[in-house]
Amino acid sequence: MYFSLSPEGSLAVLKEGRQSRASRIALWNHQGSLLFHSYCIQPSVIRHVRSWSNIPFITVPLSRTHGKSFAHRGELKHAKRIVVKLGSAVVTRGDECGLALGRLASIVEQVSVLQNQGREMMLVTSGAVAFGKQRLRHEILLSQSVRQALHSGQNQLKEMAIPVLEARACAAAGQSGLMALYEAMFTQYSICAAQILVTNLDFHDEQKRRNLNGTLHELLRMNIVPIVNTNDAVVPPAEPNSDLQGVNVISVKDNDSLAARLAVEMKTDLLIVLSDVEGLFDSPPGSDDAKLIDIFYPGDQQSVTFGTKSRVGMGGMEAKVKAALWALQGGTSVVIANGTHPKVSGHVITDIVEGKKVGTFFSEVKPAGPTVEQQGEMARSGGRMLATLEPEQRAEIIHHLADLLTDQRDEILLANKKDLEEAEGRLAAPLLKRLSLSTSKLNSLAIGLRQIAASSQDSVGRVLRRTRIAKNLELEQVTVPIGVLLVIFESRPDCLPQVAALAIASGNGLLLKGGKEAAHSNRILHLLTQEALSIHGVKEAVQLVNTREEVEDLCRLDKMIDLIIPRGSSQLVRDIQKAAKGIPVMGHSEGICHMYVDSEASVDKVTRLVRDSKCEYPAACNALETLLIHRDLLRTPLFDQIIDMLRVEQVKIHAGPKFASYLTFSPSEVKSLRTEYGDLELCIEVVDNVQDAIDHIHKYGSSHTDVIVTENENTAEFFLQHVDSACVFWNASTRFSDGYRFGLGAEVGISTSRIHARGPVGLEGLLTTKWLLRGKDHVVSDFSEHGSLKYLHENLPVPQRNTN
């Protein structure tokens, strides 16, 4: 046993049991009073308190001058000192008697991860009353059963009445067990925890407040997690109007106010308040019109209607908001989020610290423009107005946009020049090529937009089917817009007017999220789009998201977005498909396009088709990636011509396993036959016949675009019918897989999905249908066995489509 005093003379460490795994830690103040005790893993050698944990210590750059709260969620990753407040509903089970152990374990794990990143974590926890209630009920039942057994000789538990348990007694009985549980959980991560019980007097008495402050700072310095709770065994009833009078005055009447007071007192960067609701709503959660508030600003509380408090605990959402605003005023950022939902509770704390859109973020800085949620609502209402316009009016908007692209050419190219200058040295050459605009590109864009305008005349409201159900009861199936589209695109500003024109033609609202590398180009192109929309009063139908929203956060707006269309790299598409929650994603994650050269292929055609498919634009998703050669063509002049052409074009060749086996000295063997190179690289593999080629495509392809080169019509038709891809060609380049080249005017992307649109998606792919039934007092009972009417189900002629 020995004592080790800190330089300030305030710390004494009492170590017992030299050979044991755990050692008891005790902290004393200057007067010799015990302030806290805890247990931690016994270190073999203590060199510095931050090396006590045997988990590798990860240091992250966390330096910030406290004084102002963070303005944006993305800045939360820089939070150094964090308070996590666990509400009663988070800590306790649904029966309010006992703790939610699994939920607590996941919270402790997240706190431990952040602690081991070099952050200073503090917990404000409820749960002592619930834990004590469980213990006392058990003791009472056990005592009653023993007494009844002595008096009656039998156990009559069903007749027992559990008395109402006083909360202070429950707290007294539960505190030790709650702390022991936390100690056991944190020990799994080699982290020490320390308990601190406080009352209102500890903050209002200056000496006690200084002692508390010094204790907490000393614990944090030693990499110990303080676990703070109100001393509910002795705390007096709260006075209703005694708090929130200013920055220096707040009454600790519940753990919400305690957490806020502690956060400000300790100059905390972030306060996370976990409750049993997703965050703050503009009306009581569960009501029909309730909407989650993403960012809450001081003064907004006047527009919020608060409901009742949670099923357990002292305060409701109103108390949390008051405490959060008080902490925000003191320079601490606040997030209120759900800590009980099984799908998010396992990562809610780490998600908040990473800046993800979770719960309600309290900020003092209002954005200059609308939030993305407001933009989504504007796109929805604007899209509905757009859909009600006459086809000629929508076509007029698109024609006007096409004219603006050529009339404002100089301004567009000037903005694009700024993007190119800023991207120089940061983007690879293929991406710079995508980013670049030119006069010819703008002219081609204008031509494509006019094609869209011409094809949009009868797109919305077109009758697809008519059926006479019964006399005077007719059914129609008509085309309608999908709703609100979210299009996310990288490096290609020319995508913006193309997609906008398709959305306008199909009557859809549109949210656009472009890459920051094209910010200047996107801004002017969006302004021109809104100028065109303004001629018929639907300017807000197309919105450009310029806020700091992460793509993953946008993909969670399932109440506002009906379809996500990614335009960019395969990695972008995969990330969006993974992040989208409940929103369909139209697109393809990879463009692994194949070309099969049959034994009866024409020598003159093969080299032209291979060169165009691979070398014309190797970064495109419809570029050739794998060339399949019939084995009979090996060591023939045709094969030699293909290889010579690829060498001239400086294409790097990767040999498939079968091809490599035929060669004495082969090129580098391919690492994977399922590779999209996106560059001047090509895999060559050998197949035995057309069926072998089809099997290879189905196994390693991405169902994008696949080609056969042959003069045998029967072989070609067999290939066309049996290859299960979105686009299958005969004697044509893979590069024809494109909306403009298909005559669609433009495309929003190429889809490899099997539901809805497939292949290049133009105007038709952005429409769905609805059913219109016109009757005269028809009821289903009239068609019953004894009814007066019979079903006819007659097909009626459909109005001819205008193809001019």
Side-chain angles (χ1 to χ4, degrees), residues 36-164:
F36 83 94
H37 77 275
S38 182
Y39 293 86
C40 70
I41 296 296
Q42 173 71 38
S44 56
V45 178
I46 298 181
R47 298 180 184 273
H48 188 275
V49 290
R50 285 200 177 273
S51 64
W52 284 10
S53 171
N54 61 15
I55 296 177
F57 189 77
I58 304 169
T59 302
V60 292
L62 301 169
S63 58
R64 174 174 177 263
T65 302
H66 187 83
K68 282 191 174 182
S69 59
F70 293 118
H72 307 284
R73 283 183 184 268
E75 298 172 348
L76 296 181
K77 62 174 68 75
H78 302 300
K80 167 73 173 177
R81 185 171 291 172
I82 302 171
V83 171
V84 179
K85 185 264 177 178
L86 307 180
S88 299
V90 176
V91 176
T92 60
R93 298 198 310 246
D95 60 5
E96 304 175 23
C97 188
L99 303 180
L101 297 179
R103 200 181 298 146
L104 272 181
S106 68
I107 289 171
V108 167
E109 180 180 14
Q110 294 171 76
V111 171
S112 299
V113 167
L114 296 174
Q115 181 81 2
N116 283 309
Q117 287 178 352
R119 305 180 199 268
E120 297 174 343
M121 305 298 297
M122 291 180 279
L123 280 182
V124 174
T125 180
S126 303
V129 174
F131 196 47
K133 185 184 295 185
Q134 181 185 37
R135 294 181 63 182
L136 292 180
R137 279 186 175 183
H138 177 76
E139 291 298 325
I140 291 170
L141 283 173
L142 183 62
S143 175
Q144 288 182 349
S145 64
V146 170
R147 285 200 302 271
Q148 288 190 3
L150 290 174
H151 288 290
S152 63
Q154 58 182 350
N155 198 349
Q156 299 176 352
L157 290 177
K158 292 183 180 179
E159 300 176 4
M160 295 179 188
I162 303 297
V164 177

Side-chain angles (χ1 to χ4, degrees), residues 339 427 681 775:
L427 292 182
E681 299 183 54

Side-chain angles (χ1 to χ4, degrees), residues 90-386:
V90 176
V91 176
T92 60
R93 298 198 310 246
D95 60 5
E96 304 175 23
C97 188
L99 303 180
L101 297 179
R103 200 181 298 146
L104 272 181
S106 68
I107 289 171
V108 167
E109 180 180 14
Q110 294 171 76
V111 171
S112 299
V113 167
L114 296 174
Q115 181 81 2
N116 283 309
Q117 287 178 352
R119 305 180 199 268
E120 297 174 343
M121 305 298 297
M122 291 180 279
L123 280 182
V124 174
T125 180
S126 303
V129 174
F131 196 47
K133 185 184 295 185
Q134 181 185 37
R135 294 181 63 182
L136 292 180
R137 279 186 175 183
H138 177 76
E139 291 298 325
I140 291 170
L141 283 173
L142 183 62
S143 175
Q144 288 182 349
S145 64
V146 170
R147 285 200 302 271
Q148 288 190 3
L150 290 174
H151 288 290
S152 63
Q154 58 182 350
N155 198 349
Q156 299 176 352
L157 290 177
K158 292 183 180 179
E159 300 176 4
M160 295 179 188
I162 303 297
V164 177
L165 299 174
E166 206 273 332
R168 293 190 184 91
C170 292
Q175 280 291 354
S176 60
L178 179 64
M179 190 59 202
L181 181 63
Y182 274 119
E183 287 174 347
M185 289 181 173
F186 275 111
T187 294
Q188 302 304 311
Y189 303 95
S190 299
I191 290 178
C192 298
Q195 182 183 34
I196 297 181
L197 298 177
V198 298
T199 65
N200 215 16
L201 294 175
D202 295 315
F203 290 99
H204 291 293
D205 183 281
E206 186 62 25
Q207 182 61 48
K208 290 185 177 181
R209 190 178 67 84
R210 284 200 300 267
N211 290 345
L212 176 62
N213 190 293
T215 298
L216 288 168
H217 277 93
E218 194 69 22
L219 292 174
L220 294 176
R221 188 185 69 82
M222 293 190 299
N223 202 29
I224 295 174
V225 176
I227 299 177
V228 187
N229 194 1
T230 53
N231 192 350
D232 294 327
V234 299
V235 68
E239 298 178 21
N241 299 315
S242 62
D243 62 338
L244 302 166
Q245 301 302 315
V247 175
N248 297 317
V249 179
I250 183 171
S251 172
V252 178
K253 64 178 183 179
D254 53 38
N255 277 338
D256 294 318
S257 52
L258 169 61
R261 182 65 192 256
L262 181 68
V264 174
E265 183 75 26
M266 295 297 295
K267 295 181 171 58
T268 300
D269 299 319
L270 173 62
L271 168 60
I272 299 174
V273 179
L274 297 184
S275 182
D276 57 351
V277 292
E278 279 70 21
L280 180 61
F281 289 78
D282 57 1
S283 56
S287 59
D288 292 339
D289 298 327
K291 293 181 181 179
L292 179 66
I293 299 174
D294 173 40
I295 305 177
F296 190 82
Y297 305 99
D300 286 356
Q301 61 266 40
Q302 303 301 324
S303 61
V304 176
T305 303
F306 294 101
T308 58
K309 73 181 188 70
S310 64
R311 58 179 175 82
V312 289
M314 295 287 293
M317 185 55 71
E318 186 172 10
K320 291 175 175 56
V321 171
K322 287 182 178 179
L325 291 173
W326 193 89
L328 187 68
Q329 186 181 0
T332 296
S333 297
V334 184
V335 175
I336 298 178
N338 192 333
T340 63
H341 198 292
K343 290 186 177 180
V344 299
S345 60
H347 47 81
V348 59
I349 299 174
T350 51
D351 281 353
I352 290 171
V353 176
E354 288 172 9
K356 295 181 180 178
K357 185 176 285 190
V358 179
T360 299
F361 173 61
F362 286 71
S363 175
E364 294 182 296
V365 181
K366 281 199 171 185
T371 66
V372 68
E373 288 82 6
Q374 292 169 333
Q375 286 186 294
E377 291 175 357
M378 288 190 288
R380 174 79 68 188
S381 60
R384 286 172 176 162
M385 292 176 61
L386 186 63

